[in-house]
């Protein structure tokens, strides 16, 4: 481009195959809206990228004009508003190519885990996804990725072989352990601080089937189930993956019967080994409290969504989390007091969940990355739905109270993908150790010295 300040119209005509939209254009609202409806995006320009070339053009335009940049694929992590600037939507970039011999997948920037599952299933291979296969692969992996089968296989970021990434100077780079290793390190757990990833290559797992699902008890049994689960987690093999959840489910058609409109205590389970052994291992949980709904059974790995039953439709949500050093008896007392039956059915948090960490999640990766959650034995997260201002205020109060009360049992850190609305630099830094945060800032200074990538959970260049 020869213009000092190229206009969006010139930008669209000369460089980008996908749509380039401004406020008021047809399709603008649909292009900027993500899965989490709590954030209303109002960028000055949105680019619907169709491939790496479009991302390169967008970043070169942003660099030339000094325009800050945000990226969105599915918008599951859209918990902050993007005001002004440029939004690159990668939702059209959904390609997945499986190499069954190497057991790897090359995944484009906008692909969901469901796309990876569909591509891998014919070969008996699966991706290391989280609780919803509707989430995007790249954004999830950049944040480290906390998989359903994490105790068995580790963090999703640990499995990445390489990235194709466009840095803020508009350069398309290939990075792996032998090529620009500091950039490779930062992209695995450091979120999108150093560039816009257009594709990645990751390992797939030979886990075509597993034993999993959820046990649901009525809420009056929340405390005995929690105490039994917490004790049980101290004895199970590394490959047993689980989470304890208190759920207050609204009476809406998207929630299946008989769970719809219920107040539940749940243990979600995933065991990639022999089903008979898995059934024997979870027997103490089945006897810990009366099980009202038992959904644990053998399943295809592609049916992973049946375990946590995450929402499938967009909604406005407030999420937050904290990594926990341990779950002593007084921590269990605190959790039950704040979120259990005594808090009432009108308690504003839809979900409060504690996941069992450790196992492979505690082991160092083969190649160093920026994930900082390996010292946590448990992980607590919560979700509140924000349909109206009074409810939103109640959700915010309950969220603050919960994490203030659980802080004495925490490591002081969060997982970046579930951190919730990013605050100031000190708040965002809680996703990493001070040493890793400082290193991310130095890497940021190398690849994004002007801080063009400054929306959301970012760090400032050193």
């Amino acid at each position: 481009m020869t213009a000092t300040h190229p206009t969006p119209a010139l930008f669209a005509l000369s460089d980008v195959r996908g749509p380039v939209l401004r406020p008021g254009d047809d399709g603008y609202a649909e292009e900027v809206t993500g899965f989490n409806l709590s954030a209303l995006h109002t960028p000055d320009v949105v680019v619907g990228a169709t491939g790496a070339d479009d991302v390169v053009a967008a970043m070169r335009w942003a660099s030339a004009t000094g325009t800050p940049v945000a990226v969105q694929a599915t918008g599951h992590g859209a918990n902050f508003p993007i005001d002004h600037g440029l939004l690159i939507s990668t939702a059209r970039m959904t390609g997945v190519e499986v190499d069954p011999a190497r057991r790897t997948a090359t995944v484009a920037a906008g692909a969901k885990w469901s796309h990876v599952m569909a591509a891998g299933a014919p070969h008996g291979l699966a991706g290391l996804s989280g609780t919803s296969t509707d989430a995007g692969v790249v954004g999830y992996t950049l944040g480290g990725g906390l998989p359903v089968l994490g105790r068995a296989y580790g963090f999703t970021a640990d499995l990445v072989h390489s990235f194709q990434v466009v840095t803020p100077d508009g350069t398309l780079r290939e990075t792996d352990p032998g090529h620009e290793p500091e950039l490779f390190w930062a992209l695995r757990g450091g979120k999108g601080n150093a560039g816009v990833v257009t594709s990645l290559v990751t390992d797939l797992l030979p886990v075509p089937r597993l034993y999993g699902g959820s046990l649901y008890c009525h809420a009056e049994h929340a405390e005995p189930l929690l105490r039994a689960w917490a004790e049980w987690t101290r004895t199970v093999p590394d490959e047993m993956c689980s989470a304890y959840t208190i759920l207050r489910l609204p009476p809406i058609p998207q929630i299946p019967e008989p769970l719809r409109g219920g107040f539940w205590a749940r243990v979600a389970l995933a065991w990639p080994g022999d089903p008979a052994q898995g059934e024997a291992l979870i027997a103490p949980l089945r006897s810990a409290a009366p099980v009202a709904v038992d959904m644990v059974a053998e399943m295809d790995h592609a049916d992973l969504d049946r375990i946590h039953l995450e929402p499938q439709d967009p909604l406005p949500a407030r999420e937050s989390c904290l990594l926990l050093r341990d779950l002593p008896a007084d921590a269990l007392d605190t959790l039950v007091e704040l979120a259990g039956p005594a808090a009432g059915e009108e308690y504003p948090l839809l979900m409060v969940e504690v996941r069992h960490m450790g196992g492979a999640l505690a082991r160092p990766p083969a190649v160093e990355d920026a994930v900082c959650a390996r010292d946590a034995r448990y992980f607590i997260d919560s979700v509140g739905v924000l349909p109206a201002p009074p409810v939103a205020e109640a959700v915010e109060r309950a969220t603050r109270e919960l994490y203030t009360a659980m802080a004495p049992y925490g490591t002081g850190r969060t997982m970046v993908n579930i951190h919730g609305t990013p605050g100031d630099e000190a708040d965002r830094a809680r996703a990493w150790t001070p040493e890793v945060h400082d290193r991310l800032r130095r890497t940021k200074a190398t690849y994004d010295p002007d801080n063009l990538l400054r929306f959301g959970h970012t760090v400032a260049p050193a």
Side-chain angles (χ1 to χ4, degrees):
M1 297 182 208
T2 57
T4 304
H5 298 289
T7 67
L10 289 175
F11 171 57
L13 290 172
S14 60
D15 292 297
V16 176
R17 293 190 300 274
V20 178
L21 304 171
R22 304 187 71 183
D25 290 347
D26 290 343
Y28 173 90
E30 293 79 8
E31 196 72 40
V32 303
T33 301
F35 185 90
N36 189 343
L37 302 178
S38 67
L40 176 63
H41 299 326
T42 55
D44 297 320
V45 184
V46 56
V47 171
T50 62
D53 288 346
D54 283 358
V55 178
V56 168
M59 292 302 290
R60 287 178 178 172
W61 179 82
S63 179
T65 58
T67 303
V69 179
V71 186
Q72 179 167 278
T74 65
H76 279 73
N79 45 36
F80 57 90
I82 298 165
D83 297 320
H84 303 296
L86 166 67
L87 174 62
I88 300 174
S89 169
T90 61
R92 292 168 178 79
M93 299 168 61
T94 59
V96 177
E97 296 181 7
V98 171
D99 184 334
R102 296 182 61 208
R103 292 180 177 175
T104 61
T106 301
V107 184
K112 300 179 180 182
W113 281 110
S114 57
H115 299 139
V116 176
M117 296 300 189
H123 309 286
L125 300 172
L128 195 54
S129 76
T131 55
S132 172
T133 62
D134 188 61
V137 174
V138 167
Y140 169 86
T141 304
L142 293 177
L146 180 56
V148 172
L149 291 173
R151 279 177 50 83
Y153 299 105
F155 291 98
T156 307
D158 298 347
L159 303 188
V160 176
H161 288 254
S162 63
F163 293 96
Q164 184 185 76
V165 56
V166 182
T167 46
D169 60 359
T171 301
L172 182 65
R173 304 173 189 263
E174 302 279 349
T175 179
D176 59 33
H179 301 86
E180 301 195 71
E182 196 68 8
L183 178 60
F184 183 67
W185 169 83
L187 292 173
R188 296 161 71 231
K191 207 56 179 173
N193 272 288
V196 179
V197 170
T198 56
S199 69
L200 60 78
V201 178
T202 185
D203 281 331
L204 297 179
L205 305 172
V207 188
R209 291 183 64 77
L210 54 90
Y211 182 73
S214 288
L215 304 174
Y216 290 84
C217 298
H218 291 296
E220 60 263 30
H221 306 296
E223 183 171 359
L225 183 62
L226 172 60
R227 295 190 186 281
W229 173 79
E231 186 62 30
W232 175 82
T233 60
R234 301 182 189 280
T235 65
V236 296
D238 286 353
E239 293 76 20
M240 178 59 78
C241 309
S242 66
Y244 170 88
T245 317
I246 297 173
L247 289 162
R248 291 166 169 84
L249 299 177
I252 58 176
Q254 291 87 341
I255 296 172
E257 292 285 7
L259 303 175
R260 186 181 304 162
F263 182 11
W264 303 96
R266 176 185 77 185
V267 175
L269 299 146
W271 167 255
D274 176 64
Q277 185 182 3
E279 185 172 12
L281 283 168
I282 72 168
L285 296 176
R286 283 194 165 114
S287 61
V291 177
V293 181
D294 189 333
M295 294 184 173
V296 181
E298 288 188 68
M299 63 170 64
D300 290 337
H301 196 228
D303 295 328
L304 204 69
D305 288 341
R306 287 167 44 194
I307 296 177
H308 285 259
L309 294 177
E310 294 278 339
Q312 296 300 303
D313 297 314
L315 76 170
R318 164 72 161 98
E319 58 187 353
S320 193
C321 71
L322 180 67
L323 292 159
L324 301 176
R325 289 179 285 103
D326 207 346
L327 267 183
D330 51 345
L332 302 179
D333 293 341
T334 300
L335 182 61
V336 170
E337 178 184 350
L338 286 176
E345 294 194 24
E346 300 305 314
Y347 183 69
L349 298 185
L350 176 76
M351 180 199 86
V352 176
E353 181 167 276
V354 182
R355 303 193 206 184
H356 188 199
M357 302 286 279
L361 295 169
R363 298 172 196 150
V367 177
E368 184 185 21
D369 60 28
V371 176
C372 295
R374 301 182 197 275
D375 59 342
R377 296 186 67 179
Y378 298 91
F379 172 80
I380 183 170
D381 65 295
S382 61
V383 174
V385 178
L386 313 172
V391 176
E393 293 167 6
V395 166
E396 193 61 38
R397 282 195 304 272
T399 300
R400 286 197 304 269
E401 290 171 359
L402 176 65
Y403 292 99
T404 299
M406 296 301 291
Y409 317 105
T411 68
R413 292 193 297 279
T414 67
M415 285 286 291
V416 60
N417 283 343
I418 316 173
H419 180 97
T421 305
D424 59 14
E425 181 79 12
D427 176 65
R428 299 194 301 274
R430 293 189 300 126
W432 303 284
T433 64
E435 296 77 15
V436 168
H437 182 252
D438 287 346
R439 186 174 170 184
L440 283 171
R441 292 189 63 208
R442 293 194 299 272
T443 307
K444 176 89 165 182
T446 298
Y447 290 98
D448 186 17
D450 297 325
N451 201 22
L452 290 185
L453 296 166
R454 60 176 179 261
F455 289 106
H457 209 117
T458 57
V459 302

